[in-house]
């Protein structure tokens, strides 16, 4: 049901469909995803109670079956058996794109081993939502999932990722956010970062700043509520050489206003916009323009 309009779902070809579902706002579901959820012979989900809320919102009369970390060993073979018997299977997680921080990859692996077609139905993603709102470089990024709970193991993992020339993206528990930011500040120094909280929901918040500033804020603030995504900019030593940045600034400034050129260069290099704007003014003064 879309509004008051009832739409009949078309039959699906036999395949394993990986259906992305909203990370908060139920209006973010795609029409193709709705049709797939309604038309699948079998709907497998992480938590039937969570998925039922989405199904009821759109009048989808399905009876979901659980597939999660604790029953994957038993439920997986049953789903493969259904596929081999000619039935279509749709897989969803509680929120976002299946296989991201859930055991769905095992089912995909099993399906491929049995020569079963796997069809992605793309849609909402907390990783991409946080990245695009972070103001950090997007040309190269790495999703690193959840960090270890113990401080020593967490710092070891952070150190392993420290040289990656990419924006790093993590999921984190609200209860551990302050400690994680403190560890990140110790390991990564004062890199730029962003915290996405409750993305697409009523109390959505994106807070940006340096790691040190964010760590100081959350050390004093009450424990935040909701889902947390942390984005950390690439290492400062990976920034482009000064001469390369100068050439990039002058090239962009020849085609657009100085402020816009600095913003575009910041997006491409990870260097702060204000610093690039000042540098561009210096370059223009030095050339007499």
């Amino acid at each position: 049901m879309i509004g008051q309009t009832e739409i009949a779902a078309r039959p699906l070809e036999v395949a394993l469909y990986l259906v992305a579902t909203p990370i908060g706002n139920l209006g973010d579901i795609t029409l193709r995803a709705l049709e797939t959820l309604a038309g699948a012979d079998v709907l497998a989900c992480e938590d039937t109670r969570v998925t039922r809320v989405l199904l009821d919102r759109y009048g989808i009369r399905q009876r979901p079956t659980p597939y999660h970390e604790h029953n994957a060993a038993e439920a997986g073979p049953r789903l493969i058996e259904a596929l081999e018997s000619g039935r279509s299977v749709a897989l969803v997680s509680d929120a976002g794109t299946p296989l991201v921080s859930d055991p769905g990859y095992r089912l995909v692996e099993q399906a491929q081993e049995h020569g079963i077609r796997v069809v992605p139905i793309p849609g909402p993603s907390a990783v991409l939502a946080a990245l695009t709102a972070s103001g950090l470089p997007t040309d190269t990024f790495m999703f690193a999932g959840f960090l270890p709970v113990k401080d020593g193991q967490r710092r070891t993992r952070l150190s392993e990722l420290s040289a990656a020339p990419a924006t790093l993206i993590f999921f984190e528990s609200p209860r551990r956010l302050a400690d994680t930011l403190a560890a990140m500040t110790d390991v990564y120094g004062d890199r730029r970062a962003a915290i996405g909280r409750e993305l697409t929901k009523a109390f959505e918040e994106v807070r940006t700043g340096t790691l040190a500033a964010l760590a100081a804020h959350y050390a004093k603030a009450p424990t935040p509520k909701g889902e947390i995504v942390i984005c950390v900019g690439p290492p400062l030593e990976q920034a482009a050489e000064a001469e390369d940045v100068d050439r990039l600034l002058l090239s962009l400034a020849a085609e657009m206003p100085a402020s816009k050129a600095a913003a575009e260069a910041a997006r491409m290099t990870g260097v702060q916009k204000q610093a690039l704007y000042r540098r561009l003014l210096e370059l223009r003064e030095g050339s007499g323009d």
Side-chain angles (χ1 to χ4, degrees):
M1 293 286 296
I2 307 297
Q4 299 301 314
T5 303
E6 182 171 332
I7 302 171
R10 292 169 296 182
L12 296 176
E13 295 181 4
V14 177
L16 171 61
Y17 296 85
L18 310 176
V19 185
T21 55
I23 60 177
N25 190 321
L26 294 183
D28 289 339
I29 191 77
T30 69
L31 293 176
R32 186 184 179 203
L34 290 175
E35 188 173 38
T36 303
L37 295 179
D41 295 316
V42 179
L43 173 57
C45 63
E46 195 171 356
D47 187 325
T48 57
R49 295 165 298 180
V50 173
T51 300
R52 174 53 58 193
V53 173
L54 176 65
L55 297 179
D56 289 346
R57 167 67 174 78
Y58 290 101
I60 296 175
R61 295 181 288 273
Q62 274 277 21
R63 188 173 181 178
T65 182
Y67 175 84
H68 47 71
E69 182 179 0
H70 302 295
N71 78 341
E74 299 79 29
R78 291 198 296 269
L79 294 175
I80 294 299
E81 182 179 351
L83 286 160
E84 291 194 306
S85 68
R87 306 177 74 194
S88 58
V89 173
L91 175 69
V92 300
S93 63
D94 282 351
T97 302
L99 277 67
V100 179
S101 289
D102 76 31
Y105 75 92
R106 300 173 193 163
L107 185 61
V108 170
E109 185 178 42
Q110 293 169 344
Q112 291 175 340
E113 289 175 352
H114 287 78
I116 297 168
R117 183 183 174 210
V118 178
V119 180
I121 309 296
S125 165
V127 173
L128 295 179
L131 175 64
T132 53
S134 70
L136 298 172
T138 58
D139 54 338
T140 305
F141 60 91
M142 175 181 176
F143 174 61
F146 283 97
L147 289 165
V149 174
K150 294 185 178 179
D151 185 63
Q153 296 175 351
R154 178 167 52 211
R155 290 171 183 265
T156 296
R157 180 58 176 155
L158 289 172
S159 296
E160 292 171 349
L161 299 170
S162 62
T167 293
L168 301 176
I169 305 174
F170 304 88
F171 288 162
E172 188 51 284
S173 161
R175 299 186 303 276
R176 294 193 293 270
L177 178 59
D179 291 340
T180 293
L181 288 172
M184 287 178 168
T185 302
D186 290 343
V187 176
Y188 294 149
D190 217 14
R191 294 192 200 179
R192 293 168 58 210
I195 308 299
R197 184 179 70 85
E198 290 289 87
L199 295 174
T200 79
K201 300 177 184 177
F203 299 102
E204 175 181 280
E205 177 186 30
V206 178
R207 183 177 292 271
T208 62
T210 63
L211 279 172
L214 291 170
H217 170 79
Y218 285 103
K220 297 178 181 178
T223 300
K225 297 180 180 180
E227 305 294 328
I228 301 290
V229 184
I230 304 174
C231 299
V232 181
L236 299 178
E237 60 267 23
Q238 293 292 335
E241 295 292 336
E243 291 183 0
D244 293 335
V245 173
D246 287 351
R247 283 194 292 270
L248 175 63
L249 278 171
L250 291 173
S251 174
L252 291 170
E255 302 177 0
M256 60 187 72
S259 178
K260 188 173 182 180
E264 180 65 12
R267 184 190 68 78
M268 297 172 67
T269 66
V271 180
Q272 289 189 343
K273 175 186 173 181
Q274 294 87 342
L276 291 170
Y277 183 75
R278 290 194 298 270
R279 179 56 181 162
L280 179 54
L281 295 182
E282 291 172 0
L283 291 169
R284 284 182 165 179
E285 290 174 3
S287 66
D289 291 343

